[in-house]
Amino acid sequence: MIRTMLPLLLFVGLLGLLMAGLKNADQKSLIDSPLIGKPVPEFALPALHETGRTLTNGDFTGRPYVLNVWASWCPSCRVEHPLIKRMGREINAPLVGLNWKDEHAKAMTWLGQFGDAWDVHIFDEVGRFGIDLGVYGAPETFLVDHTGTIRHKHIGPVTEESYAGLVEQIRRLEAEAGS
Amino acid sequence: MRLIVLCLLMAGQLALAQSPIEPRQFNSELQETRYRELIKELRCTVCQNEPLESSNAMLAADLRQVVYEMIMDGRSDFEVRQHMRDRYGDFVLYDPPFAGHTMILWLGPLVLLLIGIVAGAVLVKKRRRMLAERRARS
Amino acid sequence: MIGEFGQLTLILALLLAILLSVLPLIGAWKNHARLMATAPSLTIGLFVFVTLAFATLAWGFLQSDFTIKYVASNSNLLLPWYYRISGVWGGHEGSLLLWMLMLAGWMAAVVALSGSLPNVFRARVLAVMGMVAVGFLSFTLLTSNPFDRILPGMPDGNDLNPLLQDPGMIFHPPLLYMGYVGFAVAFAFAIAGLLGGRVERQWVRWAKPWTLAAWSFLTGGIALGSWWAYYELGWGGWWFWDPVENASFMPWLVGAALIHSQAVTEKRGAFPAWTVLLSIAAFSLSLLGTFLVRSGVLTSVHAFASDPQRGLFILGFLGVVVGGSLLLYALRAPRIATGEGFDVVSRESALLFNNIFLVVAAAMVLIGTLYPLIVDFMGWGQVSVGPPYFGSMFLLLMTPIVLLMPVGPMARWQHDEVGRALRPLLMAMAASVVLALVITALLGTWSLRAVTGWVGGLWLMAGTLAFFVRQWRQSRGRLTRGQWGMTLAHFGVGVFVIGVAMVESSTFERDLRFEPGAVVEAAGYEFQLNEVAIVKGPNWWADEARLTVSKNGRELLTMTPQKRHYYRSGQTMSQIALHPGFTRDLYVAMGEPVGNDGAWAMRIHVKPFIRWIWGGAVFMLIGGMVAASDQRYWARQRAEADQADTAGAAGAAA
């Protein structure tokens, strides 16, 4: 009896797997980041507003911060911008922008047009720092703790649903730094 | 998360998957072969299942450039793969690693093959006996 | 008007399908002749209405009725008429209608060609197919209606995806679907057999030609898709183990196993349970393929717009159809006869192991395709499974099949001696090895992959010929169509193996910067770029490069790749210049202009023996069709049916 039931049982297993797959279907384009728990990769890039000034990892360690990847060619960045602005007002940690694979003039125009919610911008024109971070699209948001370790990566625009969770995490990182 | 409007379609990229043609200079044929093989093995992270080789995405072009530079720099295939893995995870390798979580993948078919051969042999033995018995009876 | 009419025909078709699923089954259960007799007429009615629905949609395309949303999404005023027709199946909704048309077509064919089947059996077969039709029709009407309107109509449609504006794309889906849906016949026969609990050999005999035909169509569809990808997509590849491709390959592998299992069950009565299971599996895999392509569960370049809601419906359908069949199998299988004994060295034994290897190969493709889902489900992270995995595993699993294939036909049924079966093959093996070494030396392709590929392919060809020659002598030139078909198909596999081995081991490919007037050397050929000019087409304009190809200084031919720019969509597409050949393909594609001196980035491929890949598939296709047309099945069927009918009449009268 088992032998003849075996195909049916195997099929039911397959069905379960496919059902689970269906539930997660819209999540499948999200690539898990292997950088969680690892330090922010080394970089030395110009600041967007003062291109003569070079920013490195050292400029940011000591306190937790939010690293937000954006670009002027990215429509979703416009969509999330109001929430970024709100985040900037509500948290203490600095908001660091990573202007990724963009043109300087276009980026400046974008900021002029939509407002600048960030504290400082790193200008990654070629995009190598982005690749080192495992960025594969914009916007993406990283939460970095006071030791310079990446603790969380949020893929896609910050939304109403994800906003609260992100802010709470930031507050936790700030508390960690405090103690 | 249906609104995952990632800016995957960067400026100028088209939905059509027609292979990008990029002339490159190598120091040896081996280097060129290695490059070709690696860009076939590495997955484009912003595409719907395409290797770096055939993707038109801007990020894919960047990653191909990284592979090229690493090869010209004298790095090994293993280092190139590891470089990509460190940044994008196992997802970026079309050749899945042989590790704990891929045991079923790599060993499953072989186990099934073994079971099949054994089951087949058992069946043949049974049938042979059946044949012999029938012969004995007649 | 067109939209409403089309919708009406679909609804009527669904009603007929529902009646078809119910009435004949009750009739078969109660042995009620009148109810059973409704099956053929309901089937024809279903066929008529589905054809009408399809014709209506096609008419909508031809008339450019952009009040129909589907037409507007897939057509355009500038689109040539033949692409308007193929646009009918260019998107999800229309392709479902094509599926339905194929299903209705096969059902009508069953009605037309199986008048000699016992009524009870035929009623059940048609009813089972009717149930499948109910599933597809309701899926279409409820979630994917091709006749949905957008009012007011649009002034012009979006274009049909330029990638689909191609002759290959006209025939690829219909051929594929003929295959997928054709397996529904074998499936229905198996279910009808299980329901009736009859001796299997008879219905397997009836099922065999249908299965062979379906498998042949599927072979053609897959080969066409591979060929199309090769000349259209610009990276010279012919198979990527993409989930959608795998979705078509799994039924093909299982279908091949099914054909061989049917051969054994029909001739010797052995493996009836396997034949039933494989019949269920082949069609289930076809349905699974339909699910994978449309649900968004797996990432694929080929997938239709993914919609998890639709996916849920198909999954439910899959659960009912496959789950129900397997449940029926579990309940009824003990009743199925076991068949006679056979020896270690025998055709049964060879075919048994052949099937084991084929099924394991199909299982491997399934595991690899679904593995990313499994890893995700178990929380083990993320993994991609691509050609490196599938290629190496498939090679591993195919090797025993390739070695075993010539042995099967040579071995006698039930019992044979090793010497008698294998001695003629020893010469074939020796010849293959020697020839392989000679050929690869002559070609200059001295690699392990190339040599083993030639050995394997030549072994298959020589081994099959050895059988053919022996059979020719024994039967004085009169082989059955089944034997002709088998010879052609097995020979084709050999041709295919050589093609794959050569392409994968010895391809020349290079991207380079080409100035007008420059000459490039590639795999013994000289390519010279003469000029780049502008040309115009029906809905595009293009940059066209003109090249001359020579060998050893002697001019051979010209090649003209293009870079097309489509007006309506603004999309740019590279039109490959391809010069096919028996022993190699020359392949040139244009990239982007480089610099200011008129230079272009271009790609040159020289692909050895690539035509043998599809050539082998054509041999397999023809072989399958020839075997399907074997008159012995039809004649015997008639004789048996007459017997059954008289017995049935006697029984009913008593």
Side-chain angles (χ1 to χ4, degrees):
Chain A
M1 203 34 190
I2 301 287
R3 250 197 20 202
T4 49
M5 287 287 278
L6 193 61
L8 180 63
L9 294 172
L10 285 173
F11 174 68
V12 169
L14 177 67
L15 211 60
L17 178 69
L18 293 175
M19 249 190 319
L22 257 190
K23 282 218 191 68
N24 300 327
D26 49 0
Q27 303 262 338
K28 68 178 179 335
S29 57
L30 303 182
I31 305 175
D32 295 339
S33 175
L35 287 161
I36 310 284
K38 301 241 170 61
V40 172
E42 297 279 326
F43 70 92
L45 292 167
L48 188 67
H49 285 84
E50 312 159 60
T51 45
R53 173 180 161 213
T54 307
L55 297 168
T56 66
N57 302 59
D59 293 313
F60 299 100
T61 44
R63 44 190 306 213
Y65 61 97
V66 177
L67 183 63
N68 175 259
V69 181
W70 68 277
S72 63
W73 45 259
C74 155
S76 308
C77 301
R78 248 173 274 172
V79 171
E80 76 164 0
H81 195 59
L83 283 168
I84 302 287
K85 273 203 204 132
R86 189 173 143 203
M87 194 183 282
R89 289 192 302 267
E90 291 185 9
I91 61 172
N92 291 323
L95 259 183
V96 181
L98 176 60
N99 184 235
W100 186 52
K101 291 190 69 65
D102 211 345
E103 283 169 56
H104 191 268
K106 291 207 176 123
M108 297 299 282
T109 313
W110 194 96
L111 290 173
Q113 201 179 353
F114 297 102
D116 190 348
W118 296 264
D119 294 297
V120 68
H121 293 275
I122 305 169
F123 183 43
D124 185 10
E125 191 172 12
V126 176
R128 284 306 162 83
F129 181 43
I131 290 179
D132 284 340
L133 281 168
V135 170
Y136 64 98
E140 286 181 9
T141 305
F142 294 84
L143 300 183
V144 185
D145 72 13
H146 64 287
T147 66
T149 309
I150 299 174
R151 300 292 287 273
H152 181 73
K153 178 180 179 185
H154 178 87
I155 300 174
V158 175
T159 58
E160 293 287 355
E161 297 91 34
S162 45
Y163 182 79
L166 282 172
V167 169
E168 198 205 301
Q169 262 197 301
I170 298 167
R171 297 234 166 87
R172 252 185 279 140
L173 293 179
E174 286 172 342
E176 255 181 48
S179 58
Chain B
M1 265 276 212
R2 285 248 323 206
L3 287 212
I4 198 81
V5 185
L6 268 186
C7 292
L8 306 176
L9 294 180
M10 295 177 225
Q13 194 230 337
L14 305 162
L16 301 172
Q18 287 219 302
S19 211
I21 296 177
E22 291 164 348
R24 291 196 192 275
Q25 295 284 49
F26 293 94
N27 294 330
S28 69
E29 229 179 80
L30 177 63
Q31 278 188 337
E32 182 168 9
T33 311
R34 283 177 58 211
Y35 173 74
R36 291 216 154 264
E37 289 303 308
L38 278 170
I39 60 175
K40 280 188 183 134
E41 268 182 44
L42 292 168
R43 183 170 186 167
C44 163
T45 46
V46 297
C47 312
Q48 293 275 80
N49 198 27
E50 276 186 87
L52 289 186
E53 178 195 34
S54 62
S55 165
N56 273 308
M58 217 153 66
L59 183 61
D62 286 348
L63 291 173
R64 282 193 298 267
Q65 183 67 25
V66 171
V67 173
Y68 174 65
E69 285 172 10
M70 286 183 82
I71 290 182
M72 295 302 277
D73 208 24
R75 310 286 206 84
S76 70
D77 286 358
F78 174 80
E79 287 178 275
V80 175
R81 287 192 205 109
Q82 196 56 41
H83 184 96
M84 294 301 174
R85 245 178 116 176
D86 286 340
R87 286 150 181 76
Y88 294 101
D90 287 342
F91 179 81
V92 82
L93 299 172
Y94 269 127
D95 192 359
F98 187 72
H101 62 294
T102 56
M103 276 299 153
I104 300 179
L105 180 67
W106 285 106
L107 298 180
L110 300 175
V111 168
L112 282 176
L113 184 65
L114 225 65
I115 294 176
I117 294 177
V118 168
V122 167
L123 205 154
V124 170
K125 228 172 78 170
K126 244 200 293 187
R127 294 305 172 90
R128 184 146 146 263
R129 204 180 314 137
M130 208 192 284
L131 183 66
E133 280 171 11
R134 210 191 60 164
R135 285 222 182 103
R137 263 184 278 129
S138 63
Chain C
M1 260 317 289
I2 298 178
E4 280 74 37
F5 183 69
Q7 191 135 338
L8 184 64
T9 54
L10 278 182
I11 295 176
L12 288 171
L14 177 60
L15 288 173
L16 287 176
I18 294 175
L19 288 172
L20 179 59
S21 314
V22 175
L23 295 180
L25 275 185
I26 300 179
W29 181 31
K30 302 274 192 195
N31 219 328
H32 192 297
R34 279 279 293 278
L35 277 179
M36 289 194 283
T38 59
S41 5
L42 286 172
T43 307
I44 300 295
L46 174 67
F47 175 66
V48 166
F49 281 113
V50 172
T51 309
L52 270 176
F54 189 85
T56 307
L57 189 60
W59 187 243
F61 268 85
L62 284 172
Q63 294 292 95
S64 289
D65 182 347
F66 296 131
T67 63
I68 301 178
K69 188 156 63 158
Y70 182 72
V71 177
S73 322
N74 290 290
S75 185
N76 183 273
L77 286 171
L78 287 176
L79 198 62
W81 67 267
Y82 38 89
Y83 290 135
R84 287 195 206 168
I85 300 210
S86 72
V88 174
W89 52 83
H92 166 69
E93 295 86 347
S95 75
L96 278 180
L97 200 51
L98 182 67
W99 235 98
M100 259 322 300
L101 182 66
M102 299 289 166
L103 182 61
W106 280 94
M107 290 165 79
V110 170
V111 168
L113 295 171
S114 58
S116 48
L117 280 180
N119 288 330
V120 178
F121 192 78
R122 190 166 72 147
R124 289 200 172 110
V125 168
L126 291 172
V128 170
M129 293 185 84
M131 288 188 220
V132 177
V134 168
F136 269 93
L137 281 168
S138 30
F139 179 61
T140 307
L141 280 168
L142 291 174
T143 73
S144 324
N145 194 339
F147 295 111
D148 272 343
R149 300 291 216 115
I150 53 173
L151 294 162
M154 302 190 18
D156 200 355
N158 301 327
D159 211 353
L160 177 66
N161 186 339
L163 271 180
L164 302 181
Q165 292 184 28
D166 181 272
M169 273 298 107
I170 296 183
F171 296 105
H172 168 62
L175 270 176
L176 266 185
Y177 291 1
M178 281 293 275
Y180 285 148
V181 179
F183 284 133
V185 178
F187 172 76
F189 274 85
I191 300 295
L194 281 176
L195 284 171
R198 282 191 69 151
V199 176
E200 274 60 39
R201 283 173 79 162
Q202 283 179 311
W203 67 252
V204 171
R205 190 164 293 141
W206 293 320
K208 209 167 162 194
W210 301 95
T211 316
L212 280 163
W215 181 86
S216 302
F217 279 119
L218 190 58
T219 307
I222 295 176
L224 194 57
S226 160
W227 179 57
W228 175 81
Y230 168 71
Y231 75 74
E232 191 60 38
L233 293 181
W235 49 280
W238 56 276
W239 188 258
F240 187 63
W241 297 103
D242 179 87
V244 171
E245 292 173 341
N246 295 349
S248 69
F249 195 49
M250 287 186 279
W252 187 89
L253 287 168
V254 172
L258 175 60
I259 289 172
H260 292 89
S261 188
Q262 283 174 334
V264 180
T265 307
E266 183 225 350
K267 284 266 166 43
R268 309 290 310 162
F271 313 148
W274 276 108
T275 301
V276 169
L277 254 186
L278 287 170
S279 306
I280 296 177
F283 186 58
S284 307
L285 286 168
S286 301
L287 287 180
L288 180 69
T290 309
F291 167 75
L292 289 176
V293 180
R294 295 160 205 277
S295 61
V297 164
L298 291 170
T299 333
S300 162
V301 228
H302 290 80
F304 291 102
S306 68
D307 187 338
Q309 224 194 25
R310 287 173 175 165
L312 206 59
F313 192 112
I314 304 182
L315 202 58
F317 181 51
L318 199 68
V320 168
V321 170
V322 180
S325 336
L326 290 177
L327 184 62
L328 184 63
Y329 172 79
L331 294 172
R332 288 293 173 94
R335 278 209 222 168
I336 298 177
T338 327
E340 304 170 21
F342 55 85
D343 212 340
V344 175
V345 181
S346 64
R347 195 177 294 177
E348 287 97 324
S349 184
L351 288 179
L352 171 68
F353 279 99
N354 165 73
N355 278 8
I356 289 174
F357 296 132
L358 279 172
V359 169
V360 173
M364 179 276 292
V365 175
L366 185 64
I367 292 175
T369 307
L370 294 179
Y371 207 70
L373 275 183
I374 297 175
V375 167
D376 196 44
F377 178 69
M378 301 294 291
W380 292 337
Q382 280 180 324
V383 132
S384 293
V385 183
Y389 171 81
F390 290 109
S392 52
M393 289 300 249
F394 191 67
L395 187 62
L396 186 71
L397 292 170
M398 267 326 249
T399 305
I401 299 181
V402 168
L403 288 174
L404 202 53
M405 261 172 77
V407 178
M410 291 302 256
R412 276 211 202 102
W413 289 109
Q414 191 160 64
H415 170 79
D416 204 344
E417 278 99 50
V418 179
R420 192 200 154 266
L422 296 181
R423 205 176 306 123
L425 292 177
L426 282 176
M427 257 234 314
M429 180 47 108
S432 318
V433 175
V434 170
L435 256 173
L437 292 170
V438 168
I439 294 178
T440 44
L442 283 175
L443 291 172
T445 56
W446 200 243
S447 72
L448 185 65
R449 252 196 283 183
V451 174
T452 48
W454 275 99
V455 171
L458 287 171
W459 161 241
L460 281 170
M461 289 158 79
T464 309
L465 280 174
F467 160 79
F468 184 76
V469 164
R470 190 180 75 174
Q471 198 59 35
W472 183 281
R473 285 207 200 117
Q474 274 183 6
S475 68
R476 275 180 282 263
R478 263 180 318 210
L479 284 97
T480 65
R481 286 211 196 158
Q483 287 165 330
W484 271 107
M486 188 226 80
T487 306
L488 284 167
H490 283 201
F491 189 82
V493 181
V495 173
F496 172 81
V497 167
I498 292 172
V500 174
M502 286 306 287
V503 168
E504 296 301 304
S505 68
S506 320
T507 291
F508 172 94
E509 46 188 6
R510 186 163 289 155
D511 288 354
L512 29 80
R513 184 178 180 281
F514 229 148
E515 295 114 17
V519 177
V520 167
E521 222 224 279
Y525 292 89
E526 290 104 42
F527 289 79
Q528 174 169 24
L529 177 64
N530 300 321
E531 59 161 345
V532 181
I534 307 259
V535 293
K536 287 216 164 62
N539 48 344
W540 49 265
W541 68 271
D543 294 294
E544 184 178 275
R546 295 176 183 155
L547 297 108
T548 316
V549 183
S550 327
K551 191 162 185 157
N552 297 326
R554 201 166 53 96
E555 222 180 82
L556 290 178
L557 53 123
T558 47
M559 297 181 75
T560 52
Q562 292 173 341
K563 196 94 180 168
R564 288 191 190 171
H565 309 268
Y566 284 84
Y567 295 120
R568 182 52 170 87
S569 53
Q571 284 174 323
T572 301
M573 261 190 51
S574 188
Q575 205 62 22
I576 317 302
L578 192 60
H579 190 263
F582 188 65
T583 56
R584 91 291 173 277
D585 267 20
L586 299 173
Y587 184 108
V588 184
M590 291 175 76
E592 299 297 317
V594 177
N596 298 318
D597 53 353
W600 280 75
M602 296 185 99
R603 168 170 296 169
I604 297 182
H605 285 215
V606 178
K607 298 190 111 51
F609 289 86
I610 194 164
R611 301 274 137 183
W612 288 47
I613 294 178
W614 307 303
V618 169
F619 270 103
M620 290 186 231
L621 192 162
I622 298 178
M625 285 301 192
V626 166
S629 68
D630 195 321
Q631 293 302 353
R632 294 178 306 160
Y633 302 128
W634 308 100
R636 275 230 243 164
Q637 204 192 86
R638 249 175 268 129
E640 275 164 12
D642 290 336
Q643 263 187 338
D645 271 339
T646 32

